[in-house]
Amino acid sequence: MGDRPACLGYGDTVCSSRGKCVSQDAACFESYQCNYEGFTCKSNLTECGAEYDGLLIRFNTLVDDYNELLEEAHDMRTEFQTALENLEETRRDLRRSEDVLSDVLSCIEGLGRLDDPDNCLP
């Protein structure tokens, strides 16, 4: 409409009346197709970058949480091991106390009426 047709030769370019020339392998976009960043055409690139940043923050938070949980688990394992050792020591003390009590009881049961029960104490 209003333009003159022309035959183009190999390597020729076409320029609009506003002086915008394009090569044969150029892709044409609508006006205002490119975003404010000026170097990429509108797409989901900006949204993708924002989503990536969000995922990176989430990943780093999860790594921090994992490391804290790992440290807590290590501390709990150490405390559990200490508790087991204390339990075993308490069991040994209880067995020794039971043995002493059994010896005292046997001694008292073997006493005569005139024997002093204090002699049975360890």
Side-chain angles (χ1 to χ4, degrees):
M1 299 291 229
D3 290 338
R4 291 181 300 152
C7 293
L8 299 176
Y10 179 77
D12 288 345
T13 58
V14 177
C15 297
S16 72
S17 60
R18 293 187 228 157
K20 294 181 181 178
C21 298
V22 295
S23 66
Q24 68 184 44
D25 60 347
C28 296
F29 299 100
E30 295 178 15
S31 297
Y32 308 109
Q33 182 82 17
C34 294
N35 65 10
Y36 67 92
E37 294 166 337
F39 64 91
T40 59
C41 290
K42 264 188 190 173
S43 66
N44 63 353
L45 182 62
T46 301
E47 292 84 7
C48 181
E51 186 177 346
Y52 172 81
D53 290 341
L55 288 172
L56 182 63
I57 290 169
R58 184 172 175 219
F59 172 79
N60 287 334
T61 301
L62 288 172
V63 168
D64 291 342
D65 290 348
Y66 171 81
N67 287 334
E68 287 177 21
L69 289 171
L70 189 61
E71 185 176 339
E72 286 178 23
H74 178 70
D75 292 345
M76 290 175 69
R77 182 177 179 183
T78 301
E79 289 176 17
F80 180 72
Q81 190 64 36
T82 301
L84 285 177
E85 292 168 2
N86 290 341
L87 176 62
E88 189 56 38
E89 184 178 336
T90 301
R91 285 179 176 163
R92 282 192 302 270
D93 290 346
L94 177 61
R95 282 192 295 270
R96 282 192 295 264
S97 297
E98 287 173 339
D99 290 344
V100 169
L101 182 60
S102 178
D103 291 345
V104 169
L105 184 61
S106 293
C107 179
I108 289 175
E109 288 174 345
L111 289 177
R113 294 183 114 205
L114 300 175
D115 293 329
D116 185 7
D118 287 339
N119 292 336
C120 291
L121 296 176

